[in-house]
Amino acid sequence: IYYSTFSDGESPLKESSNIIIDNCSFKWKYPLWYSNDVLVEDSKLDVTARSGIWYTHNITINDTLIEAPKTFRRSSFITLNNVNMPNALETMWNCKNIVLNDVNVTGDYFAFGSQNIEANNLVINGIDKNIGTLILIILVLFLNISSSDNSPMFFLLTILHNETYPS
């Protein structure tokens, strides 16, 4: 599959096998579920291609931008070479046999529950603490949680601001 765009409709390549994807763009959810023996090169998964690669086995991705969160779930034999994942929240969960070469990841809970990971030149960044603080403030206002010096909310706020929790 060369120079193609998948823009509307879920699961465009679900249950596919023995495919090569080159210079393609995925713009909607679940592009590669239950797939086997996949090679992806010079492609892009947009932020709207969330939960993009689940239950997929034997996949290699080269020179690709994965903007979608929650990519890779319960997959195995994953190789990523020169891949950038700027929105990798909850990505690579419960996966096995992973090789990561020259991969940049931004997002929390990366590789949760995964095993047998080999990484070379892997950079992982959590979500910006200012965004985390904003989310927490919205939750406090929305849930109308009161705060005292010994409350769990005060503890969370001090962690986000890199302050010391009072003893």
Side-chain angles (χ1 to χ4, degrees):
I1 304 170
Y2 300 94
Y3 298 95
S4 300
T5 299
F6 298 89
S7 58
D8 291 323
E10 294 180 1
S11 306
L13 298 174
K14 185 176 183 179
E15 298 185 20
S16 57
S17 62
N18 299 312
I19 58 172
I20 297 172
I21 299 167
D22 190 2
N23 281 286
C24 292
S25 179
F26 295 92
K27 298 180 178 287
W28 202 240
K29 298 183 283 189
Y30 325 132
L32 289 164
W33 276 40
Y34 297 99
S35 297
N36 291 293
D37 304 314
V38 179
L39 173 62
V40 179
E41 297 192 323
D42 299 305
S43 294
K44 181 181 178 191
L45 275 76
D46 285 354
V47 70
T48 50
R50 62 186 301 114
S51 307
I53 303 170
W54 287 26
Y55 319 108
T56 293
H57 307 286
N58 196 25
I59 181 167
T60 298
I61 301 178
N62 301 319
D63 306 310
T64 293
L65 174 61
I66 300 175
E67 293 181 328
K70 300 184 179 182
T71 305
F72 301 107
R73 200 64 64 92
R74 298 190 186 279
S75 297
S76 65
F77 298 99
I78 303 165
T79 300
L80 304 182
N81 298 304
N82 194 31
V83 172
N84 188 17
M85 294 186 276
N87 187 19
L89 181 67
E90 298 180 20
T91 289
M92 196 85 60
W93 279 22
N94 300 306
C95 296
K96 298 178 187 175
N97 305 315
I98 304 161
V99 177
L100 305 171
N101 296 309
D102 301 311
V103 173
N104 289 300
V105 174
T106 300
D108 292 332
Y109 307 108
F110 180 75
F112 173 81
S114 290
Q115 49 188 299
N116 195 18
I117 302 170
E118 176 187 325
N120 302 295
N121 198 23
L122 169 66
V123 177
I124 300 176
N125 295 299
I127 294 178
D128 185 289
K129 77 172 186 177
N130 293 327
I131 294 171
T133 301
L134 178 61
I135 291 169
L136 187 58
I137 290 169
I138 291 169
L139 285 173
V140 169
L141 293 173
F142 179 73
L143 298 174
N144 194 22
I145 298 173
S146 62
S147 173
S148 69
D149 286 352
N150 294 320
S151 73
M153 189 56 58
F154 181 80
F155 180 72
L156 288 173
L157 286 171
T158 57
I159 289 172
L160 286 169
H161 291 286
N162 295 322
E163 297 173 3
T164 304
Y165 182 70
S167 51

